[in-house]
Amino acid sequence: MSVTVASAYALDMRRRKLRNLAIRIGMILLLVAAWEIVGHYVPPIFLTPFHKTLVAFYAMSADGTLLRATLSTLSVLLLGLTISAVLGIAIGLAMGRYRIVRWIIEPYANGLYAAPTVAFLPLITLWLGLYLAPKVAIVVLIAIFPILKNTFAGVSTVSEEYLEPAASMRASELQVFGKVIIPATLPFIMAGLRLAVGRGIVGVVVGEFFTAQTGLGGMVVWHASKFRTAEMFVPIIVLVAMGVCLTEVLKWLQTRLAPWKETERDQGL
Amino acid sequence: MTDAAQERADGARPRATATRMKFYLTVSVTFVVLMAVWEVAGRAINPLFFAPPSEVVAELVKALADPRARLLHGLLETLAVLLPGFLIASVGGVAIGAAMGRRELVYQALDPYVTIFYNTPRVVLIPVFMLWLGTGVLMKIVVVVLAAIFPVIVNTVAGVRDVSAQLTEPARSLRATERQLMIKVILPASLPFIIAGIKLGLGRAITTVVVAELFVSVSGLGGLLHAAGSTYQMAKMLVPAIILAGLGIAVDGLLSKIERASARWYGG
């Protein structure tokens, strides 16, 4: 093992933690500094210094455009994710419980999960227009499969030791689902939801790029087409923050609702 | 016995002949019904909005036979972005991931960037890199690399950190150098993780290349998609969409096979 790691072990835990924090903050500051310096030397249509993005951030927050765009993106995202969650969990549960449903749906679910569903974007715009519906549809098409697949994988791990007693006590199908299968599958469902968030954000942005250019994605394209690089990075930063925050919230929910560890079937974002 | 229990008794794929017959019957009946519904719907709906599968197949045959149809050309253009981008992302991702997994300092230094980029909706970088690099192949390759490399890095780090001391200690006691340790012990032992990361990266790469081509709209299968979609030629539009879907499914299937093989090999 290297000298650095060996000496790192020699430091006590608190000093190591402090050092790591310093490195992390240093690296972020390095990025900001590089952005600021490079921005001074290249033409502004390529990059403007970081402080101009901060100024733009302030201006766009002050006149409310940033908030409106964020709310627009967030509402599409949450609507799409809610539909994905309801449909994905329902279909995944049915696939895990009933063989016939699994046989019918699995080939198509696997295929659509692996396929780049954005390829059907022109079809979606023709069918659903340019406003809310196509954007939500794209989010659902991209985000539903990790939820569905994780739920399905979760149901198949439910042990017969739980199902047999329920059946022998004449539990109704509804009771089996509500009291045995869903609680046992919960960690998988939560993992699927967490994966769906990242994919969902990609879906919203794609929708905002190619249908009516609204929200944060539309803002990026709009400013990019006008070569306003300082403004262009503002919605990008908000989108990254949105992704990090939503993922962290779901991670936290996962540890609260389903603290026991389960393996994730897929980490596809 | 419930379906699930029976399935477990049967194994993953239905093994008993009667069950297997039922399985294939269900799958084929579903496929036929789906195609029939699509055909009927495709004929009933205004051709500006939909096309039946028979027309899509006819269009595919025509496009394959006609050298001027640009389908093959478009596919090659897409692959010319996808393959180099994907290779760079895989090799670079494993190298960076291995360094991060082994060296605490490298990990602490790069992890903030990995977290930021892993959470960046990758398609949002397309307009940015169009400003910096233009609309050509280079821009698309860079965007594909950025889309695909982070799952590879994250999984390689997880894999390298997962390698137990039981494997590394004997090698070290035999005075293996760090390089030998990495190549002969750590990377082979992390292979299942690495391949899982590469699989995720490939899925992201395909989506990103399609979005980039739709955005630039002059080259590749995405360009064909855009051209046919914006002129309401439904059958012509569905051909590249289906080829892209097929490409994604085929490569994913191939990597899943390698993944299973590597896991089996690793498991002993």
Side-chain angles (χ1 to χ4, degrees), chain A residues 20 23-24 27 46 99 102-103 108 111 116 119 126-127 156 158 160 202 209 227 236 266-269, chain B residues 3 5-6 8 23 31 49-50 105 108-109 111 113 118 122-123 128 131-132 155 200 206 215 225 232 234:
Chain A
N20 290 344
I23 295 174
R24 284 165 172 268
M27 289 305 284
F46 290 119
R99 197 173 63 184
R102 169 161 65 250
W103 286 353
Y108 305 98
L126 278 177
W127 283 359
S156 358
V158 178
E160 207 48 38
V202 171
F209 277 2
F227 299 100
I236 293 180
D266 196 320
Q267 304 180 344
L269 278 162
Chain B
D3 282 349
Q6 198 173 342
R8 254 192 296 277
F23 170 72
F31 183 75
F49 294 112
F50 208 28
L105 266 178
Q108 295 298 341
D111 187 56
Y113 294 148
Y118 196 71
R122 53 220 178 258
V123 290
V128 177
L131 277 182
W132 290 345
N155 270 41
L200 297 174
I206 296 180
F215 215 94
L225 209 60
Y232 297 93
M234 281 299 104

